[in-house]
Amino acid sequence: MALTIQQIISEADTLVPNILANADKVLQLTQFNGDFFNIVKIPKTVRLSATSGQSDYTLSSAVKAKNIDLVEVGVLKYLDQLSDAVSPLQNVFTYDDDSNTLSLSPAPCTSGLSGIVCYHRIGIATFTTSDLTAIPELPEEYQWTLIPALSSWIAYTLDDMSKGAYYEQLYRNAWNTATPNYRDWE
């Protein structure tokens, strides 16, 4: 069963009684939502159909340059022009996060080739106090980890270092255990 932001806050408040503002807790939950995806790399793919001579392709806003692992069109692999060691005449790509544009160089020379972009999912949600019924982006089986994560932050904020460390260890262990459950691209 999916947890709402309100349910997570209520459970954390039960574990670590406090008078902190919900706005601060919601802000932290947004941060934890993103942190989860920085630790647990969940592979995703986007497929495209190449057009002869077309170098630019618009992808989903869920794709970000730092999370792209592989770009391949037909049998050709493209290297990341900004982070890979690239030699002249190699196939390269760039990705613009602002326009969600994947640029291939050289452009495919045959139409209809299947392309694939392999990337890791990221957390993009921004939670607000006006919608406490929002559901975190974490896979449902790991949403519970936001309860000890928020409890840890609350405890540290209240200078209860032992309780903060205890809850931090709980959610970090769960996230580290979740990591091997998702296969990386080869």
Side-chain angles (χ1 to χ4, degrees), residues 142-181:
Y142 296 107
Q143 289 175 357
W144 69 270
T145 63
L146 293 176
I147 296 168
L150 184 58
S151 298
S152 172
W153 176 81
I154 292 169
Y156 283 137
T157 300
L158 300 175
D159 292 328
D160 187 339
M161 298 304 154
S162 62
K163 199 176 266 190
Y166 172 74
Y167 289 120
E168 181 177 12
Q169 182 179 0
L170 277 179
Y171 82 85
R172 289 200 179 275
N173 285 347
W175 289 1
N176 289 332
T177 302
T179 299
N181 291 336

Side-chain angles (χ1 to χ4, degrees), residues 51-83:
T51 301
S52 179
Q54 179 180 331
S55 60
D56 293 342
Y57 297 86
T58 302
L59 302 181
S60 162
S61 61
V63 179
K64 297 296 178 204
K66 71 177 187 170
N67 294 71
I68 295 176
D69 294 325
L70 173 73
V71 175
E72 189 171 323
V73 177
V75 296
L76 300 176
K77 289 187 180 181
Y78 286 77
L79 299 174
D80 186 342
Q81 185 172 7
L82 301 177
S83 64

Side-chain angles (χ1 to χ4, degrees), residues 28-96:
Q28 289 304 310
L29 285 172
T30 296
Q31 181 65 44
F32 286 127
N33 184 74
D35 289 348
F36 174 85
F37 293 103
N38 288 331
I39 294 171
V40 181
K41 305 292 187 184
I42 300 175
K44 303 288 282 180
T45 60
V46 172
R47 299 194 181 278
L48 58 96
S49 180
T51 301
S52 179
Q54 179 180 331
S55 60
D56 293 342
Y57 297 86
T58 302
L59 302 181
S60 162
S61 61
V63 179
K64 297 296 178 204
K66 71 177 187 170
N67 294 71
I68 295 176
D69 294 325
L70 173 73
V71 175
E72 189 171 323
V73 177
V75 296
L76 300 176
K77 289 187 180 181
Y78 286 77
L79 299 174
D80 186 342
Q81 185 172 7
L82 301 177
S83 64
D84 291 332
V86 179
S87 301
L89 303 177
Q90 283 188 303
N91 299 329
V92 296
F93 76 88
T94 58
Y95 187 76
D96 184 335

Side-chain angles (χ1 to χ4, degrees), residues 95-143:
Y95 187 76
D96 184 335
D97 286 336
D98 295 329
S99 65
N100 303 319
T101 302
L102 175 71
S103 298
L104 304 175
S105 179
C109 59
T110 305
S111 290
L113 292 174
S114 292
I116 188 167
V117 177
C118 300
Y119 67 99
H120 287 103
R121 187 172 163 196
I122 58 171
I124 58 174
T126 301
F127 305 120
T128 64
T129 54
S130 63
D131 185 13
L132 296 177
T133 61
I135 306 291
E137 296 169 305
L138 281 67
E140 197 171 301
E141 64 268 25
Y142 296 107
Q143 289 175 357

Side-chain angles (χ1 to χ4, degrees), residues 19-30:
I19 57 169
L20 300 172
N22 270 358
D24 294 331
K25 296 170 191 172
V26 168
L27 180 66
Q28 289 304 310
L29 285 172
T30 296

